[in-house]
Amino acid sequence: MKDRQLSLILAFAGIAALVPLFVTAGTWLNFAVFTLILCLAAQGWNILGGYSGQYSFGHAAFFGTTAYLTAVLQTRYGISPYAAFAIGIAAAAAVGWVIGFLSFRSGLKGSYFALVTLAFAEVFRVLANASEITGGAAGTLIKLDVRPENFQFASRGTFFWVVLGMVVLAMLLTRALERSRLGAQMVAVRENEDAARALGVDALRVKLAAIALSAAMTGAAGGLYAQYFLYLDATIAYGTWISVEALLAPIVGGAGTVFGPVVGSIVLHSLSEFTKSLVGRIPGIDLVIFGIMLILVVRFPPRNIPGLIRRWRGTK
């Protein structure tokens, strides 16, 4: 089963890598790159929510932290985009650890923890919107300088392969986490934290490790977003849209699984674009669709797409 999972990951990587060779239209490549960025952000949420059972409504805090640091460090201080990207990921992990420490040490869990993460993301959004260093409401624009050393590529396909590599790496890390002692402890905390404590699991340490790893992975998605689109403002970086999509994709695709965030991101983003093409780009229409999808997933079993497929195949 484990070898099969690895084979599926490699098969996904191989098939997805062919996309730029057959798809040359800029619109479709933008769609593919953005979907992969969402996959990476959702995989980050999956570490915390799917495996550890700590549902966050504020992963925008991590996405935006790396996105802004990636942009600000290179535009204002002349730091290499690659170094800025790495610093941003480390900063997102640190922000996650601090939020987790303040929340978990206070005994917050469930809806209380979810609301605290949402509050942090909103505070960051307000600060970014008012701060001069982030460009305030005008946002931050990364200078267009298409050279590999600037983390900018002449071909969208090249950037697609870079993001795909990050997504596959995140999947392999998640797979390794499933097999590890930490992964087993995270699942134990998710299922019954009191029982896990009774068995000697340091629940605080496990949850802090989970949120730091989760924040780093989602932060990486933010840095890639900034580097691809070359523009940020507070609503983009710390907006509720990324928190919603990072949360919903694993739930729809199968939380606590390696492929859940990938399946969910592809389905949700495809559905969003299809809906917009039918009804026009009505502001917020994608969030309406996501809300309906979440209600259906929570209300009706088997509560995710892979489970629905297995149930359908079992009745055939």
Side-chain angles (χ1 to χ4, degrees):
M1 180 66 180
K2 294 176 181 178
D3 290 339
R4 179 173 178 270
Q5 186 182 70
L6 178 59
S7 298
L8 288 173
I9 293 174
L10 296 178
F12 165 76
I15 294 172
L18 298 175
V19 169
L21 302 180
F22 296 96
V23 178
T24 57
T27 301
W28 285 106
L29 281 175
N30 283 340
F31 170 86
V33 170
F34 188 54
T35 300
L36 285 178
I37 290 173
L38 293 179
C39 286
L40 186 58
Q43 193 70 263
W45 187 95
N46 191 41
I47 297 296
L48 182 64
Y51 287 96
S52 302
Q54 312 301 314
Y55 278 36
S56 162
F57 288 173
H59 261 51
F62 316 133
F63 183 91
T65 294
T66 305
Y68 263 122
L69 279 174
T70 299
V72 170
L73 288 178
Q74 59 182 297
T75 56
R76 288 184 175 269
Y77 301 102
I79 295 177
S80 162
Y82 295 99
F85 181 56
I87 292 170
I89 292 175
V95 169
W97 192 92
V98 170
I99 292 176
F101 183 80
L102 295 175
S103 302
F104 299 140
R105 285 280 293 182
S106 301
L108 299 180
K109 60 179 64 175
S111 58
Y112 296 103
F113 171 71
L115 290 174
V116 164
T117 59
L118 177 62
F120 270 102
E122 185 62 14
V123 168
F124 288 169
R125 186 191 67 79
V126 172
L127 290 176
N129 196 54
S131 175
E132 181 181 347
I133 197 171
T134 60
T140 298
L141 181 66
I142 299 175
K143 181 182 178 181
L144 180 64
D145 187 359
V146 183
R147 290 182 295 162
E149 54 267 35
N150 285 330
F151 208 163
Q152 296 180 29
F153 308 98
S155 168
R156 289 185 176 93
T158 303
F159 203 94
F160 174 90
W161 286 320
V162 171
V163 181
L164 176 62
M166 293 290 292
V167 170
V168 172
L169 177 60
M171 294 172 72
L172 292 173
L173 288 174
T174 304
R175 175 179 176 271
L177 183 66
E178 281 187 348
R179 298 166 161 225
S180 69
R181 181 182 181 87
L182 176 60
Q185 291 174 336
M186 286 164 55
V187 172
V189 170
R190 179 191 70 192
E191 295 300 321
N192 191 319
E193 185 171 334
D194 292 332
R197 290 179 187 275
L199 292 173
V201 175
D202 187 342
L204 176 61
R205 181 187 65 83
V206 169
K207 290 191 287 187
L208 288 177
I211 194 172
L213 179 58
S214 174
M217 205 171 284
T218 299
L224 291 171
Y225 181 98
Q227 209 55 48
Y228 184 72
F229 292 101
L230 303 179
Y231 173 76
L232 287 173
D233 63 21
T235 302
I236 293 173
Y238 291 116
T240 55
W241 69 274
I242 186 60
S243 293
V244 170
E245 297 203 30
L247 175 153
L248 192 54
I251 293 177
V252 170
T257 64
V258 172
F259 276 93
V262 177
V263 173
S265 296
I266 294 172
V267 169
L268 288 176
H269 196 46
S270 299
L271 181 61
S272 172
E273 291 301 312
F274 177 73
T275 303
K276 290 176 182 177
S277 68
L278 286 181
V279 302
R281 295 192 171 273
I282 302 174
I285 187 63
D286 52 340
L287 294 179
V288 173
I289 297 300
F290 295 161
I292 294 173
M293 179 70 75
L294 181 60
I295 292 171
L296 293 175
V297 167
V298 172
R299 175 63 181 85
F300 300 105
R303 299 182 178 176
N304 58 59
I305 292 173
L308 182 64
I309 293 174
R310 286 193 296 267
R311 182 176 178 181
W312 178 79
R313 290 178 61 185
T315 60
K316 297 302 284 182

